[in-house]
Amino acid sequence: MGGRTVDDISVGLSTSFTKTVSESDVYLFAGITGDLDPNHVDEEFCRGTSLGHRVAHGALIVGYMSAASSRILEDFDRPMVSAGYDRIRFLKPVYLGDTIRVDYVIASLDPTRERIVAKVEVKNQRGELVCVADHIMQLVD
């Protein structure tokens, strides 16, 4: 979708991103961020918790949201940056091996501030809602 202004974008425009969360995703993310919490990297430890197994980092799931946001306006004629995520809620754990689908829908536009707000839902392979958020993007020159 081409365009240069917020007026060129339609409310309701949507995209999705699907990814199976792999062990290498979690370990690479842990190495990059330094978040080596046993909830993410120690299966034996997690067996003794209510989680039962290792889980993906919440911030990794937000990274998958970012993948969806970069796709929705990839042909737009101006760059955009993330101005943040509001109301992020992690509702269920995402386990290694889960396949998640990020549904990303433009919900509102602010032409004065040149901002776009999208609703984001993340579901696992069983269709269970695991995370929700509002994403704010800012047009830049």
Side-chain angles (χ1 to χ4, degrees), residues 19-134:
K19 175 83 170 81
T20 299
V21 180
S22 71
E23 184 160 351
S24 63
D25 293 338
V26 170
Y27 273 102
L28 288 168
F29 187 84
I32 290 167
T33 63
D35 184 350
L36 299 167
D37 189 281
N39 290 334
H40 310 303
V41 299
D42 188 337
E43 183 68 26
E44 194 61 35
F45 170 82
C46 287
R47 283 189 189 130
T49 72
S50 61
L51 295 170
H53 297 282
R54 289 178 291 160
V55 296
H57 301 75
L60 177 60
I61 304 308
V62 173
Y64 296 146
M65 291 179 191
S66 181
S69 75
S70 67
R71 286 187 164 91
I72 197 159
L73 295 171
E74 63 189 349
D75 296 326
F76 204 69
D77 298 327
R78 282 177 63 195
M80 292 189 200
V81 296
S82 177
Y85 290 86
D86 286 344
R87 293 183 271 292
I88 296 175
R89 295 294 177 266
F90 300 106
L91 306 170
K92 288 184 176 276
V94 174
Y95 295 100
L96 281 67
D98 279 355
T99 299
I100 55 119
R101 176 186 164 110
V102 177
D103 291 313
Y104 191 96
V105 181
I106 294 179
S108 65
L109 307 168
D110 182 345
T112 304
R113 296 175 72 192
E114 294 193 299
R115 287 192 169 181
I116 299 150
V117 177
K119 295 287 185 186
V120 186
E121 291 187 348
V122 182
K123 294 180 180 175
N124 63 20
Q125 67 275 10
R126 292 177 297 284
E128 299 167 330
L129 193 60
V130 298
C131 186
V132 294
D134 293 337

